[in-house]
Structures are given as structure tokens and as C-alpha cells.
């Protein structure tokens, strides 16, 4: 986890480094231990006001695909530079016409030990056809918590940031950090 200031510097780096004509605007820059996800807004396709929902959906899907193909080289160049600088993979996504699409992004494996009551929850989701495997069921549970606990998670992240600031002022503090990538600023992968 990084502090708000480190996140602002990371977002600023992308805002300054991205070609001016890549996005209409920079939407989100999200970071965790493995990945930086950059989401930008792209223009909606121009359609007649009488266009059906199916026509709008197809046009937005085509616009996103066209953007992905046309901008691949520019995005790869920025991603390589950022991966070298911050030691994390960079993934991309766009928002267009109320739709959000993520391009290839990291799906990091997470290992855990569960007792029988927790395994039974996952097995029930599998039996009900909600998930194909325990891994899928666990991912489904995480998405459900994420959807319904946004405020609580935001407050928890704010509290963690405060703890990091207090720790940084303690007697064992390492001193100023040389790179704005945060506590995990040593490259771990290319």
C-alpha cells in the first residue's frame, strides 16, 4: 500500500508521461503490490439520437477495440518505462459511453488456508453453479465484499495510510525514500 502523496505522484507521472492525444482525460490510476492499472476516458462514438441500445452497445465495443489496437505501441512504450521505474506491471483500461473495459491485466494467485465452514461456503457456491471452482468462488466472494463494503474499505485504507505516516516518523525510520513508488519500490519483475 502506498500513501496518498505517493499515489498523487504516481498519477502525476502518468498524466505527464502519457501522450496528450491518448485519452480525453486520465480517469483512474490504481496501484497494488503487483500492478498499476491506468484507466482513461475515450470519446463516445457519434450516433443518431434514435440509435437503439444494441447499436450503442456495438458502437462502444467497436470504439474500445479500435482504441486498443491503434494505441498499443504508445501504451507499451509508456508501460515499459513505468515498469522499469516503479517495478510493477502496468495494465490499461478505458471508459467509454458508460462502459469500462480492462485490457490484459494481472490475475495474481493468492493462497489461503480455510477451515471447513469457509470451505463449505465455497462448495455451496460451486454446487449452485455460481462458480466453477473454489478459486472462482473465492474470487466471487471478494468481488461481493468489494461491491458492498466500499465505504468501509476506504476508511480502512485511510487508517492504514495514517499508520504508515506514524511509522515513518518513528526512531527506526529509514529516512527519505529515494523513489516515489512507495515501500515496494525495488523492482520485482520486468
Amino acid at each position: 500500500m502506498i500513501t496518498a502523496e505517493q499515489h498523487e505522484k504516481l498519477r502525476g507521472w502518468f498524466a505527464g508521461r502519457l501522450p496528450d492525444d491518448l485519452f480525453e482525460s486520465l480517469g483512474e490510476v490504481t496501484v497494488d503490490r503487483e500492478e498499476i492499472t491506468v484507466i482513461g476516458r475515450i470519446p463516445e462514438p457519434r450516433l443518431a439520437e434514435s440509435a437503439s441500445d444494441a447499436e450503442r452497445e456495438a458502437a462502444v465495443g467497436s470504439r474500445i477495440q479500435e482504441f486498443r489496437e491503434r494505441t498499443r505501441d504508445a501504451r507499451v512504450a509508456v508501460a515499459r518505462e513505468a515498469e522499469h521505474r516503479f517495478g510493477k506491471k502496468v495494465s490499461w483500461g478505458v471508459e467509454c459511453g458508460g462502459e469500462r473495459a480492462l485490457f490484459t491485466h494481472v490475475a495474481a494467485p493468492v493462497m489461503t488456508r480455510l477451515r471447513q465452514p469457509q470451505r463449505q461456503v465455497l462448495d455451496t457456491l460451486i454446487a449452485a453453479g455460481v462458480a466453477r471452482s473454489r478459486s472462482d468462488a473465492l474470487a466471487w466472494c471478494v468481488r461481493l465484499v468489494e461491491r458492498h463494503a466500499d465505504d468501509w474499505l476506504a476508511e480502512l485504507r485511510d487508517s492504514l495510510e495514517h499508520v504508515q505516516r506514524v511509522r515513518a516518523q518513528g526512531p527506526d525510520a529509514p529516512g527519505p525514500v529515494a523513489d516515489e513508488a512507495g515501500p515496494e519500490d525495488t523492482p520485482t519483475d520486468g
Side-chain angles (χ1 to χ4, degrees):
M1 184 155 159
I2 65 173
T3 66
E5 181 180 353
Q6 291 167 332
H7 184 265
E8 289 168 6
K9 288 181 179 180
L10 183 71
R11 183 179 168 81
W13 185 88
F14 277 98
R17 178 58 186 86
L18 292 173
D20 288 337
D21 61 344
L22 188 64
F23 297 125
E24 273 188 332
S25 64
L26 181 59
E28 284 180 29
V29 177
T30 309
V31 63
D32 68 8
R33 285 190 279 182
E34 292 83 19
E35 175 181 35
I36 299 168
T37 304
V38 180
I39 299 175
R41 290 182 190 84
I42 61 173
E44 293 183 43
R46 285 182 245 157
L47 297 169
E49 290 202 23
S50 62
S52 68
D53 289 343
E55 184 178 352
R56 285 186 195 290
E57 183 179 326
V60 167
S62 294
R63 174 60 53 89
I64 291 169
Q65 187 61 37
E66 183 277 332
F67 171 86
R68 184 178 187 185
E69 292 169 10
R70 177 176 46 83
T71 63
R72 182 171 281 119
D73 291 341
R75 289 182 294 105
V76 166
V78 172
R80 282 193 181 129
E81 188 176 335
E83 287 169 6
H84 177 73
R85 180 179 177 104
F86 301 113
K88 299 173 189 312
K89 291 292 182 187
V90 175
S91 301
W92 300 92
V94 295
E95 290 178 349
C96 179
E99 296 293 320
R100 176 179 280 206
L102 292 176
F103 305 153
T104 304
H105 54 283
V106 175
V110 178
M111 303 298 238
T112 187
R113 296 182 188 276
L114 299 176
R115 303 226 183 267
Q116 189 177 36
Q118 291 90 26
R119 293 191 312 265
Q120 288 176 329
V121 170
L122 301 181
D123 292 343
T124 300
L125 293 171
I126 295 166
V130 172
R132 295 182 311 254
S133 65
R134 284 181 172 174
S135 178
D136 285 344
L138 189 56
W140 184 88
C141 291
V142 170
R143 286 190 305 273
L144 184 65
V145 169
E146 177 186 38
R147 185 175 304 132
H148 294 290
D150 284 341
D151 293 338
W152 180 79
L153 288 171
E155 187 175 336
L156 186 59
R157 287 183 186 111
D158 290 344
S159 296
L160 288 171
E161 184 177 319
H162 178 71
V163 168
Q164 285 180 336
R165 283 194 307 269
V166 171
R167 279 187 186 151
Q169 297 168 2
D172 296 329
V177 177
D179 189 349
E180 56 271 346
E184 306 94 14
D185 60 349
T186 53
T188 56
D189 57 9

